Amino acid sequence: MKIQLEQACALLQGAQRVLLLSHQNPDGDTLGSAFALGLALRQLGKQVRLECSDPVPPKYLPILGELPFGAFEPDLIVAVDIADPQLFGKGIAAYRERVDLCIDHHSSNSDYAAHTLVDPGAAANCELIYRVINALGVPIDPQIADCLYLGISTDTGCFRYSNTTAHTHSAAAALIGCGARHALINRLMFETKSHAQIEIERLAMNTIEYHFGARCAVIHVTQEMLQHSGATESELDGLSAKPRQIEGVDVAVTLREKEGGGYKISVRSNAPVDASAICKALGGGGHARAAGCFIRDTLEAAKTRVLQAAAPQLQSSEQE
Amino acid sequence: MKIQLEQACALLQGAQRVLLLSHQNPDGDTLGSAFALGLALRQLGKQVRLECSDPVPPKYLPILGELPFGAFEPDLIVAVDIADPQLFGKGIAAYRERVDLCIDHHSSNSDYAAHTLVDPGAAANCELIYRVINALGVPIDPQIADCLYLGISTDTGCFRYSNTTAHTHSAAAALIGCGARHALINRLMFETKSHAQIEIERLAMNTIEYHFGARCAVIHVTQEMLQHSGATESELDGLSAKPRQIEGVDVAVTLREKEGGGYKISVRSNAPVDASAICKALGGGGHARAAGCFIRDTLEAAKTRVLQAAAPQLQSSEQE
């Protein structure tokens, strides 16, 4: 049942032992939401615990601080930034049908909780939690401000994405006024790369090739390059997006040699080119703008097959 | 002579024909300042012209729109975002001693104008221009909002840098409310790179060297590299920030060979290292986290001099 801000506050105020739930593979917004609300509820004298199917990624720890994980039987279960029970993950699946209050900002929210406070206009769920904490009358201390700023900054690509609104900036202004360490948070989230990451990016960008009149950019990473740089798989995450930033490039292809041989292919595209159609033709799949597949072949042969699969996409989009 | 906001407004209100000056190699902040103030003054019925030693880089054109370049004898000459007459460049050098009003946000402002309104607390000069336009009582239309947002966004790395304050976000909130096309501006400024930019970044990152136990990263760009890549001066803008992203790096130095010889040095630092102290020791200046200077010498000699100037900064910050 959809409810308003005041009703959500009444539920929170009436509870004594609150269990907060974050979604699986937790990001800055679901964690920032849970920690900020948890800290606010503790200031109101309540017992609080956070549960999540996956551990908190280490990069968030210096920002979030610590929240006590008390053992108690909750009298209120609150899900934050979870649009659908499928996103609970295995570890907290038992609570799927027991959520008393869901606070979320996804328009796709499936209204699975007994009470749902949802605002799809909020760029980050932390923008909504900020309003909840204000309505609860809890003063925002620097620790709460850090948690809320983290969610807002990460869910908006540091205010770059089109979901950012005047309200988002007003919240950020207030949180900085309350002591949020915005520069540190942004540096940790957006500006910090390991030496290995810098090195593998450098090596990969040295392999760049352009095809189809420079509408398609191709880079590759071999096992030898990985070993030389010392980069891990997770440090390759941002790499595939880089060639798509190039002016005029509609399809960016990254080939990553796997340990057992063969190449993992990542395709990123700009509208209207359909990356998933390219990868489907090669036995893979994904989203319209980000898709992948695997080709067990040599580098040159894999490259040729991807370019052949991309050709009809680039031709058909040319006619539009 | 330093003046207050009200006095600056009185000067602007008393003029009929205003010449606005932007600094050489113009960036989003000096151009956003000049265009926004120019548009506001036009709304007050004044004649306005902008002069700059270098042309407006094409990437800013879709945002700034057009400002009439009227031929008239000005009764007020206003420099925006120009800390020192050295930054006028050759094309507008004739005005160096004739500036009636300087509106700037650099703490290093040399107070060269007859009247100077300076606020080093403003993250971008456009933040200060925003206050000036409000004080002039001119309503901020979408075109002015675009120009001001451009300067604020580019001078703060899209709200990432530590110069960003609560006031910066409040201004951004107001400007989005006035119709600034924030998502478009950020995409054009931060998510789109030309082939030449990609190429010069690749070449520059290939020159990376680490010093002081990898706390200092140094890259360089020669005229040969520039010619090979086809990159223009303005396409080098984002380059200086890249080595500072590396984990553990507190000082990032970029050396750019100038056409007439010698090297333009950009220093970017993380707290507590003072970039402006390093550049001051070499005859330059700037902000605490972003400063610059010029060294007329060979690459190796220039590098050695910068490292020598950086050494005390890195040592003193180590003791803290």
Side-chain angles (χ1 to χ4, degrees), chain B residues 246-269:
Chain B
I246 304 167
E247 208 171 11
V249 167
D250 290 323
V251 180
V253 178
T254 307
L255 299 100
R256 283 150 59 168
E257 189 182 11
K258 302 300 290 181
E259 250 183 289
Y263 284 82
K264 186 182 162 187
I265 319 289
S266 297
V267 178
R268 299 286 180 274
S269 68

Side-chain angles (χ1 to χ4, degrees), chain A residues 160 245 247, chain B residues 23 25-32 35 54-66 146-147 149-151 153-155 157-158 161 181-198 200-201 231-241 256:
Chain A
R160 278 191 197 184
Q245 291 187 348
E247 206 172 11
Chain B
H23 64 68
N25 301 322
D27 60 10
D29 196 25
T30 194
L31 291 169
F35 274 71
D54 299 296
V56 174
K59 70 170 176 174
Y60 298 120
L61 293 176
I63 301 160
L64 294 169
E66 283 188 32
D146 272 357
C147 296
Y149 185 92
L150 171 70
S153 174
T154 53
D155 249 33
C158 204
Y161 302 157
R181 294 170 297 170
H182 59 102
L184 170 75
I185 293 169
N186 290 330
R187 184 154 58 80
L188 291 174
M189 292 302 113
F190 300 107
E191 300 277 331
T192 309
K193 292 181 178 181
S194 67
H195 287 268
Q197 237 172 333
I198 288 283
I200 196 69
E201 278 186 11
T232 60
E233 276 288 320
S234 77
E235 287 175 317
L236 293 172
D237 276 354
L239 190 61
S240 316
R256 283 150 59 168

Side-chain angles (χ1 to χ4, degrees), chain B residues 103-284:
Chain B
I103 305 178
D104 186 31
H105 73 126
H106 293 90
S107 60
S108 60
N109 188 290
S110 63
D111 206 6
Y112 59 91
H115 306 87
T116 302
L117 174 67
V118 63
D119 179 6
N125 199 52
C126 276
E127 215 182 299
L128 183 51
I129 297 288
Y130 166 70
R131 296 209 294 272
V132 170
I133 293 175
N134 278 336
L136 287 170
V138 177
I140 294 179
D141 63 25
Q143 203 186 342
I144 294 177
D146 272 357
C147 296
L148 293 174
Y149 185 92
L150 171 70
I152 290 175
S153 174
T154 53
D155 249 33
T156 60
C158 204
F159 309 96
R160 281 191 195 184
Y161 302 157
S162 56
N163 60 352
T164 307
T165 68
H167 296 297
T168 318
H169 279 289
S170 294
L175 294 171
I176 291 173
C178 295
R181 294 170 297 170
H182 59 102
L184 170 75
I185 293 169
N186 290 330
R187 184 154 58 80
L188 291 174
M189 292 302 113
F190 300 107
E191 300 277 331
T192 309
K193 292 181 178 181
S194 67
H195 287 268
Q197 237 172 333
I198 288 283
E199 183 62 7
I200 196 69
E201 278 186 11
R202 185 183 77 80
L203 294 172
M205 290 307 281
N206 281 344
T207 72
I208 198 160
E209 284 176 16
Y210 296 100
H211 297 273
F212 300 107
R215 292 185 61 206
C216 174
V218 181
I219 60 173
H220 69 260
V221 172
T222 62
Q223 280 294 316
E224 196 189 332
M225 286 158 68
L226 269 178
Q227 278 150 24
H228 176 86
S229 68
T232 60
E233 276 288 320
S234 77
E235 287 175 317
L236 293 172
D237 276 354
L239 190 61
S240 316
K242 283 184 77 79
R244 189 176 50 183
Q245 295 187 347
I246 304 167
E247 208 171 11
V249 167
D250 290 323
V251 180
V253 178
T254 307
L255 299 100
R256 283 150 59 168
E257 189 182 11
K258 302 300 290 181
E259 250 183 289
Y263 284 82
K264 186 182 162 187
I265 319 289
S266 297
V267 178
R268 299 286 180 274
S269 68
N270 284 319
V273 176
D274 185 350
S276 74
I278 296 171
C279 291
K280 254 180 215 158
L282 297 163

Side-chain angles (χ1 to χ4, degrees), chain A:
Chain A
M1 186 180 75
K2 298 277 167 65
I3 59 167
Q4 300 300 310
L5 186 61
E6 297 69 31
Q7 296 164 279
C9 288
L11 283 171
L12 291 165
Q13 271 152 340
Q16 280 312 314
R17 298 173 304 279
V18 182
L19 170 61
L20 296 160
L21 305 177
S22 279
H23 63 67
Q24 62 186 357
N25 301 319
D27 60 10
D29 197 25
T30 194
L31 291 169
S33 293
F35 274 71
L37 184 57
L39 290 163
L41 293 173
R42 269 175 57 198
Q43 285 199 23
L44 292 175
K46 299 172 193 311
Q47 281 187 278
V48 177
R49 181 172 81 231
L50 167 64
E51 290 193 32
C52 180
S53 289
D54 299 297
V56 175
K59 69 170 177 175
Y60 298 121
L61 292 176
I63 301 160
L64 294 170
E66 283 188 31
L67 197 70
F69 282 63
F72 54 77
E73 184 56 35
D75 58 7
L76 190 77
I77 300 181
V78 183
V80 287
D81 195 39
I82 312 184
D84 191 275
Q86 288 193 335
L87 302 168
F88 278 46
K90 281 184 192 165
I92 58 168
Y95 300 118
R96 282 184 177 196
E97 321 239 306
R98 290 179 52 199
V99 177
D100 300 298
L101 172 62
C102 171
I103 305 178
D104 186 31
H105 72 126
H106 294 90
S107 60
S108 59
N109 187 289
S110 64
D111 205 4
Y112 59 90
H115 306 87
T116 302
L117 174 67
V118 64
D119 179 7
N125 199 52
C126 276
E127 215 181 298
L128 183 53
I129 297 288
Y130 165 70
R131 295 208 295 272
V132 169
I133 293 175
N134 278 336
L136 286 171
V138 176
I140 294 181
D141 63 23
Q143 203 187 342
I144 294 177
D146 272 357
C147 296
L148 292 175
Y149 186 92
L150 171 70
I152 290 175
S153 175
T154 52
D155 249 33
T156 59
C158 203
F159 309 96
R160 278 191 197 184
Y161 303 157
S162 55
N163 61 353
T164 307
T165 68
H167 296 298
T168 318
H169 279 290
S170 294
L175 294 171
I176 291 173
C178 294
R181 296 170 296 171
H182 58 102
L184 171 75
I185 293 169
N186 290 330
R187 185 150 59 81
L188 291 175
M189 293 299 114
F190 301 109
E191 300 273 331
T192 307
K193 292 181 179 181
S194 68
H195 287 266
Q197 236 172 334
I198 288 284
E199 184 62 8
I200 196 67
E201 279 187 9
R202 186 183 76 79
L203 294 172
M205 291 309 280
N206 280 344
T207 72
I208 199 162
E209 285 175 16
Y210 296 100
H211 297 272
F212 300 107
R215 292 185 62 208
C216 173
V218 181
I219 61 175
H220 69 260
V221 171
T222 62
Q223 279 295 315
E224 197 188 331
M225 287 159 67
L226 268 178
Q227 277 148 24
H228 176 85
S229 67
T232 59
E233 277 288 320
S234 78
E235 287 176 315
L236 293 172
D237 276 354
L239 191 62
S240 313
K242 283 183 75 79
R244 188 175 51 182
Q245 291 187 348
I246 303 168
E247 206 172 11
V249 167
D250 290 323
V251 180
V253 178
T254 307
L255 299 99
R256 282 152 59 171
E257 190 182 11
K258 302 303 287 182
E259 252 183 287
Y263 284 83
K264 186 183 161 186
I265 318 291
S266 296
V267 178
R268 299 285 180 273
S269 68
N270 284 319
V273 176
D274 186 351
S276 73
I278 296 171
C279 291
K280 253 180 218 159
L282 297 163
H287 304 283
R289 304 288 163 254
C293 61
F294 178 80
I295 299 180
R296 186 171 293 285
D297 213 326
T298 65
L299 176 60
E300 284 312 312
K303 212 183 280 179
T304 303
R305 286 185 59 193
V306 177
L307 291 174
Q308 280 168 351
Q313 275 298 314
L314 284 162
Q315 277 148 16
S316 75
S317 76
E318 216 161 25
Q319 290 156 3
E320 284 180 22

